[in-house]
Amino acid sequence: MTRVAAVDCGTNSIRLLIADSATDGAAPRLKDVVREMRVVRLGQGVDATGELAQEALDRTFAAAADYAGQIHGHGATKVRFVATSATRDARNRQVFVDGIRELLGVEPEVITGDEEAALSFAGASSVLPSRGADPVLVVDLGGGSTEFVLGDADGVIAAKSVDIGCVRMTERHLRSDPPTPDQIAAAEADVDAALELAARTVPLDRSAAVVGVAGSITTITAHALALPEYSAAAIHGTELPLDAVRRACTELLEMSHAERAALPYMHPGRVDVIGAGALVWRRVLERLAGVTGGRVASAVTSEHDILDGIALSIS
């Protein structure tokens, strides 16, 4: 058994998983020791300025310092730190890289979108029941980008990362509270263009099922289930009809900031961007329903995603 630590630093949040990894004669399996998430909004303004803001770096470094203490305290022997969309886009990313190296003693990896997609698929598919040989589409809806990964029991078939994350879409389009019809239409056009780009690489029409991961999708699922509080156990593995998911997306998109903030399962750091996340997820599911001729009629939500894939990669 090996104790590993994985850190996933995205556009909106930074997350830590410390887990014990054991093999049972097949693939490694993880047993959580610590699983934690903090909203630091590292990607604040990156889409407009091309640089990481100092206050965003300060928030991220503060969280990383705490994570470093937990990693040391729990005795993890292998550590991997992965950074994704916002850091890829920033001209001053070396400031971020140097700061993380000093705090954690490991070199942060600014991975490509395709690498991010493969890790997301590994994490999601590691905990899902077998669906035979039919390809499964994993959609990782982040703050700066969304990854589409089609895979089966043999691994990844095709993957593509496109720049339609919830933070990016909020900053680019959804500026009113609640967003106006014109803003929603502009955002949908942006998402549709990104889906066309993704479909050139990933044959979406081959999907037999879809699995959604990351905070926007888990929060939308919590809304669809009308949970009295956020519960990862209640959300993980939930399969809902597409109509129910689309209805939840529309409700969240059309709510005001105050209405979203009052929801008992809403993380404070997601209140201002969940509308954009809901818009992206709704559009993705509508596209899938169309290109598969209705074969994909439901969506599964997984609490296990790229963070688990990172941990598995060093197990």
Side-chain angles (χ1 to χ4, degrees):
M1 185 174 293
T2 304
R3 180 158 290 183
V4 300
V7 182
D8 166 39
C9 187
T11 301
N12 196 45
S13 64
I14 183 169
R15 300 182 300 150
L16 169 69
L17 172 61
I18 300 174
D20 288 327
S21 169
T23 55
D24 54 8
R29 306 296 292 180
L30 300 174
K31 181 179 179 181
D32 288 12
V33 177
V34 172
R35 189 182 288 265
E36 185 174 331
M37 183 273 287
R38 297 187 187 182
V39 173
V40 294
R41 196 65 57 82
L42 178 62
Q44 172 190 330
V46 167
D47 192 55
T49 68
E51 292 192 349
L52 299 169
Q54 187 58 53
E55 59 266 35
L57 285 166
D58 291 343
R59 292 191 298 267
T60 304
F61 290 156
D66 181 70
Y67 285 178
Q70 294 190 56
I71 291 168
H72 176 75
H74 285 283
T77 57
K78 294 183 179 180
V79 181
R80 186 178 182 189
F81 187 109
V82 164
T84 53
S85 177
T87 316
R88 281 198 300 269
D89 296 344
R91 288 189 297 268
N92 62 338
R93 70 181 188 179
Q94 194 60 45
V95 177
F96 169 81
V97 169
D98 292 344
I100 294 299
R101 186 194 305 113
E102 182 177 347
L103 288 167
L104 272 77
V106 297
E107 188 75 14
E109 302 173 50
V110 183
I111 61 173
T112 66
D114 288 345
E115 290 172 320
E116 182 177 356
L119 288 170
S120 295
F121 185 81
S125 62
S126 71
V127 294
L128 294 173
S130 173
R131 291 178 178 263
D134 293 332
V136 173
L137 181 70
V138 171
V139 181
D140 184 347
L141 202 171
S145 64
T146 296
E147 283 65 54
F148 296 86
V149 196
L150 188 71
D152 56 21
D154 294 325
V156 174
I157 296 169
K160 181 65 177 179
S161 176
V162 290
D163 289 339
I164 52 170
C166 62
V167 174
R168 195 185 298 269
M169 290 294 98
T170 299
E171 293 183 348
R172 189 179 291 176
H173 298 293
L174 306 185
R175 300 187 180 92
S176 298
D177 178 28
T180 67
D182 285 348
Q183 290 172 353
I184 291 172
E188 287 179 335
D190 215 348
V191 173
D192 288 347
L195 286 171
E196 288 293 335
L197 180 61
R200 295 176 194 169
T201 302
V202 181
L204 302 177
D205 59 334
R206 291 182 55 190
S207 306
V210 59
V211 180
V213 300
S216 284
I217 293 173
T218 60
T219 302
I220 292 163
T221 303
H223 183 68
L225 295 171
L227 296 181
E229 61 183 4
Y230 191 93
S231 168
I235 293 166
H236 181 57
T238 292
E239 185 168 1
L240 293 171
L242 293 193
D243 284 346
V245 181
R246 288 199 296 257
R247 186 164 53 250
C249 289
T250 299
E251 290 171 356
L252 287 167
L253 175 60
E254 294 179 351
M255 284 180 181
S256 68
H257 186 282
E259 288 170 332
R260 294 193 299 268
L263 297 172
Y265 37 79
M266 184 66 64
H267 190 286
R270 295 203 186 279
V271 174
D272 60 333
V273 297
I274 190 62
L279 182 149
V280 172
W281 190 219
R282 184 178 71 180
R283 210 65 172 171
V284 168
L285 295 180
E286 288 170 347
R287 173 68 176 250
L288 279 177
V291 299
T292 63
R295 184 174 64 254
V296 174
S298 62
V300 177
T301 301
S302 175
E303 284 277 353
H304 292 212
D305 50 26
I306 186 174
L307 189 61
D308 301 77
I310 297 166
L312 288 167
S313 73
I314 55 175
S315 297

